[in-house]
Amino acid sequence: MENRKVICLGKEFTSEDERREYFRNELRIKLPELKKIEGFPIGEDEDIINLSDPPYYTACPNPWLNDFINEWEKEKENISGRHRDFHVDEPYASDVSEGKKNPVYTAHSYHTKVPHPAIARYILHYTQPGDIVLDGFAGTGMTGVAAYTCESPATELQYQIQQEFKLQFGSSPIWGRRNAICSDLSPLASFLSSVYNTSFPLEDFRNEAERTLAELQSSCAWMYETKHLENEIGQINYVVWSDIFLCSNCGEEIVFWDSAVDFLAKEVLDKFKCKSCNAVHEKKGLDYKWETVFDSLTMTASRKISSKPVLIKYTFRGKGYLKEASAEDIELVNRIENEKILDWHPLDSLPEGEKTSEPLRMGIDCVHKFYTKRNLIALAKYLSIISSSKYKQPLLFILTGMIQRSSKMNRMHVKNFFHGGGGWNAGIMKGTIHIPSIPIETSIIEQVGDKIQSFIKAKQCINASGNVVYISSASHQPIPDSSIDYIFTDPPFGANIMYSELNFLWESWLKVRTNNKKEAIQNRKQGKSLLDYQELMTECFQEYYRLLKPGKWMTIEFSNTSAAVWNGIQTALQKAGFIIANVAAIDKKQGGMRSITTATGVRQDLAISCYKPSLEFVGRFSSNSQEVLVWDFVDEHLNHLPIHLTKEGSTTSIVERSAKILYDRLISFYLMKGMPVPIDARNFQDGLKQRFVERDGMYFTKQQAAEYDEKKAKAPQFVQLSLIVTNESDAIEWLKDRLRKRAQKYQDIMPDFRIATQSLRKGDTLPELKDILNENFIQEADGTWRTPDPNEAKDREALRLKVLLKEFNGYVAAINQPKAKKLKEVRVEALRAGFKNSWELKNFKTIVILGDMIPQNILLEDEQLLMYYDIAKDRV
């Protein structure tokens, strides 16, 4: 690898080493200017340079991005089969199911990854060979791996995708290399991404990796030895430790393992006895036993929780054994405690954060305190060994894969221990920094051997190269306007994952840490509210809009059950100028602990497909009248929506083609342009019926309708999406759907209406059923209610608007009283009507003041209210 001619950005080098050294020197010169770019990481210059492999990977903003883009654009001219007029009208609308069990996905335990075969489907649909793909929240670089997969897919994956494309689009995808740009704010994530996107000869790497393992064994094997029988020595795999508490009744020690683990019942008890006095306790009611010790690494006195080794799993002559920790094992621990650590290791102090409170409370206030002395010595030794290796980068990838599992966060899976279900080394709890009372100390030597094998297995699947990776804020990309052909991105979602806090341990070992000023999360310790998060995401999406070529697409992977976060993302997208065309599911098949046990995690992620309007459409928008533009917009948008979708052999409803959603998209588009909406909902629906073709409650162009009819004939069973009533607008739609089928009396409607409206949002008042019927429907002489005809509907709309604005003005009067308090309950439909009216009158101040006085969940969970409020803030 190191001794062949290398061509890079038009320069010739005799080896990769020479290329690397040249560009590192260039990077050193450019660093002062790069530090002015938002997102520049925290670290010493030389540490940033040593972590980098320029120009392909820089542990800071990449100064060669434009050189790569120019080179790739020139290469496009020589790629056979490329089309100058290539464009995509219809989004990739099929749900994608792709598991997390492939070797590439499991090679590292980073928080989140979208499986690269799932991303590859989107890239193949939206691009052609040679196109440039961007991911500004790239994480571990799966978008880059997916771009490479488009050129070199596994045979089985290629066949599977080809069959899917033939079924959905009637043709095979165009295979071939796409070029990826992968950036992330996190030094850890971008480093992992660089290794995933770098190729090297695997057999040579295997030999070097095994050499480093042998050197580690030579230095550290003695620390992982335990007596088998008599003088026979086994090699430790794991050591189970137990915290020690103090009995609140007698003051004696309670070793958690001895008292709380019931070997007969094969479980950890919620209530357990003190072995000295038989007093019954719960863990949460006990105090830890603390020790004051001298920390020779920081030369300070500190307190730590008392613990002891209780169980050892070891190997002797290829067979596994269990034993209780003996006096000799404890003596070995004590001996190791007195050893000096001769190799560098991090001593960084843990910052205060939302996820760091638990370790800080438990006396773990520095990075080195997360480890037993044994594992800390071995990790430091292995880092020293690999630092001089020609394969330092991939070997450092392996080291980072052990950083958390080697710490006191590593848990014992007691259920598996007793019942034999899988491994009883459970790993860490995802999404938090949890220190268990029964941690497992895993042998570093064993981990290195395992990680080498799993890493090689991953690289055998995909040995990508040529993509560009760097550290930068997604909101500040050093890339020219309209340079990118497609964007796939998986941004942070609200308070789901506190990346910079959770990455602190890893990044301390890398010596380069996240600059979290522009970290797009919701975090109290950083002073970032949900609205702050939305503002940060708006900045990122505005930057994406600037970089993307007109008429091109972006896909956002979304994973959060919060309606407020969902609306925040949609608002940010639309404020940036994107138009949402479709939402589909990405099923990763396997949820982590948080996706199983918390309300903010879901097993099934969503893929939002949106597009940047074409220059032709933008030109029409600036030259035509308001009324013409309404239907230009609808025509343009309908041509970007899926035409026909099936699920389990049945035709399914496309919600984006409904009159309600089309009108919502129109409102958003006009608001983003700072213009009044020139048509109300009723006239809009009448215009849709006159100008477009309606099928199954959805609207199509004439050509699309013919295609829909043809495809539906092959899947005639139609599945209407079920309506979940969460607000007044949903309730009206529910009633319309019911009364369209047949007129009904109040007493026939009421029981089902009560059941349907059980999931209303807190703070949103729903009018009585009689009032909703009076404002929106027509009562016949026999007492039955029916839907109004077009003329009646206009009258009802005018009557309802008058009622809503009267209620809105009541809210305005209430908040303008001296010492006015926040409104606890509001009618959302009244707010929508009032915000719209205030917008048309350019009374932005009223929108903002009232928005601040209503329940925050109402504002954040309603897309229309949030849109008006967010834009009005910029105009006050």
Side-chain angles (χ1 to χ4, degrees), residues 138-156:
T140 57
M142 291 299 105
T143 298
V145 174
Y148 180 83
T149 301
C150 293
E151 179 183 34
S152 302
T155 304
E156 184 180 346

Side-chain angles (χ1 to χ4, degrees), residues 777-792:
F777 300 92
I778 303 295
Q779 189 175 28
E780 300 286 19
D782 63 357
T784 59
W785 292 90
R786 63 170 173 82
T787 55
D789 63 33
N791 289 328
E792 291 170 332

Side-chain angles (χ1 to χ4, degrees), residues 10 137 300 490 538 551 713:
F137 293 100
T300 59
D490 178 15
T538 300

Side-chain angles (χ1 to χ4, degrees), residues 493-720:
F493 292 104
N496 261 20
I497 298 175
M498 306 300 174
Y499 287 94
S500 62
E501 293 181 23
L502 298 176
N503 289 351
F504 188 85
L505 208 62
W506 275 312
E507 292 179 351
S508 294
W509 285 91
L510 293 178
K511 301 184 182 181
V512 185
R513 300 204 309 272
T514 301
N515 178 346
N516 64 15
K517 180 182 176 182
K518 285 290 183 178
E519 185 179 17
I521 59 171
Q522 182 185 352
N523 184 299
R524 290 190 303 274
K525 292 290 184 179
Q526 292 183 26
K528 294 173 182 174
S529 67
L530 192 52
L531 285 172
D532 293 321
Y533 161 76
Q534 182 193 313
E535 187 59 40
L536 287 165
M537 287 308 307
T538 300
E539 289 180 28
C540 296
F541 289 148
Q542 286 171 337
E543 184 74 340
Y544 279 165
Y545 189 88
R546 179 184 72 80
L547 303 177
L548 192 64
K549 294 176 181 176
K552 299 296 185 177
W553 290 79
M554 175 168 74
T555 303
I556 305 98
E557 195 268 357
F558 177 87
S559 178
N560 190 296
T561 57
S562 166
V565 174
W566 172 249
N567 284 326
I569 287 291
Q570 291 192 92
T571 300
L573 280 170
Q574 291 170 144
K575 190 175 180 182
F578 288 103
I579 302 175
I580 297 171
N582 187 68
V583 179
I586 299 179
D587 186 0
K588 297 177 183 175
K589 292 183 180 177
Q590 174 195 338
M593 178 62 70
R594 281 174 59 79
S595 68
I596 296 168
T597 62
T598 73
T600 56
V602 286
R603 284 178 181 272
Q604 219 174 33
D605 294 356
L606 299 176
I608 307 167
S609 292
C610 55
Y611 59 93
K612 178 177 178 177
S614 64
L615 288 175
E616 180 186 1
F617 175 72
V618 173
R620 291 203 308 271
F621 193 90
S622 59
S623 60
N624 286 337
S625 69
Q626 293 277 318
E627 181 66 22
V628 172
L629 284 175
V630 167
W631 306 115
D632 272 356
F633 172 84
V634 174
D635 187 73
E636 172 93 355
H637 191 50
L638 288 177
N639 280 304
H640 281 84
L641 300 181
I643 295 172
H644 183 265
L645 295 177
T646 60
K647 190 166 187 177
E648 297 177 354
S650 298
T651 297
T652 62
S653 176
I654 302 168
V655 68
E656 285 287 339
R657 289 189 175 274
S658 68
K660 181 179 183 298
I661 300 300
L662 288 171
Y663 188 59
D664 285 348
R665 298 291 177 237
L666 179 77
I667 290 174
S668 299
F669 186 75
Y670 271 83
L671 292 181
M672 292 309 115
K673 296 291 182 183
M675 301 168 65
V677 182
I679 190 169
D680 61 26
R682 180 57 57 186
N683 287 326
F684 178 77
Q685 289 181 23
D686 290 345
L688 274 180
K689 292 174 182 176
Q690 293 166 15
R691 292 170 174 81
F692 300 97
V693 181
E694 194 238 339
R695 293 285 189 273
D696 298 321
M698 301 176 288
Y699 288 89
F700 301 84
T701 64
K702 287 182 180 179
Q703 185 178 356
Q704 289 175 335
E707 183 179 339
Y708 177 80
D709 291 340
E710 180 183 344
K711 290 182 175 179
K712 187 185 176 185
K714 299 175 182 178
Q717 186 72 30
F718 182 74
V719 179
Q720 180 70 50

Side-chain angles (χ1 to χ4, degrees), residues 194-350:
S194 74
V195 178
Y196 271 121
N197 285 278
T198 300
S199 65
F200 41 83
L202 293 182
E203 200 53 43
D204 191 45
F205 168 76
R206 184 195 299 273
N207 293 335
E208 172 63 6
E210 289 176 352
R211 183 198 67 77
T212 65
L213 174 58
E215 188 172 342
L216 177 67
Q217 287 172 322
S218 175
S219 297
C220 298
W222 67 271
M223 296 192 297
Y224 296 98
E225 291 180 349
T226 188
K227 185 177 287 188
H228 177 54
L229 295 173
E230 297 180 358
N231 293 319
E232 295 174 318
I233 301 298
Q235 284 295 313
I236 292 174
N237 307 119
Y238 322 122
V239 178
V240 179
W241 288 70
S242 174
D243 284 347
I244 300 174
F245 296 86
L246 292 176
C247 176
S248 56
N249 184 56
C250 69
E252 292 297 316
E253 292 183 359
I254 297 177
V255 179
F256 189 72
W257 174 264
D258 295 339
S259 296
V261 178
D262 188 329
F263 288 86
L264 291 176
K266 297 184 178 181
E267 62 181 358
V268 177
L269 303 173
D270 293 328
K271 294 182 179 181
F272 47 88
K273 291 181 179 180
C274 168
K275 291 187 177 296
S276 298
C277 68
N278 288 325
V280 177
H281 299 285
E282 293 183 27
K283 178 185 167 184
K284 62 182 179 182
L286 290 172
D287 291 329
Y288 289 106
K289 180 185 177 183
W290 291 87
E291 300 176 32
T292 300
V293 296
F294 179 72
D295 187 342
S296 61
L297 300 175
T298 59
M299 302 301 289
T300 59
S302 63
R303 297 172 76 233
K304 72 171 188 176
I305 294 170
S306 294
S307 62
K308 61 180 289 189
V310 292
L311 190 71
I312 295 176
K313 182 178 183 296
Y314 67 98
T315 301
F316 179 72
R317 293 181 181 173
K319 186 176 179 182
Y321 296 89
L322 280 176
K323 59 177 277 191
E324 290 185 2
S326 66
E328 290 160 309
D329 295 314
I330 295 173
E331 183 182 339
L332 176 62
V333 169
N334 293 333
R335 176 189 165 191
I336 293 169
E337 284 295 327
N338 293 320
E339 288 285 317
K340 286 187 177 180
I341 306 181
L342 302 176
D343 302 298
W344 181 90
H345 55 283
L347 300 173
D348 305 61
S349 296
L350 205 61

Side-chain angles (χ1 to χ4, degrees), residues 9 23 30 63-73:
L9 292 180
F23 282 106
K30 297 173 186 290
W64 295 282
L65 273 178
N66 294 340
D67 297 318
F68 278 109
I69 290 171
N70 292 335
E71 190 173 272
W72 291 337
E73 287 293 341

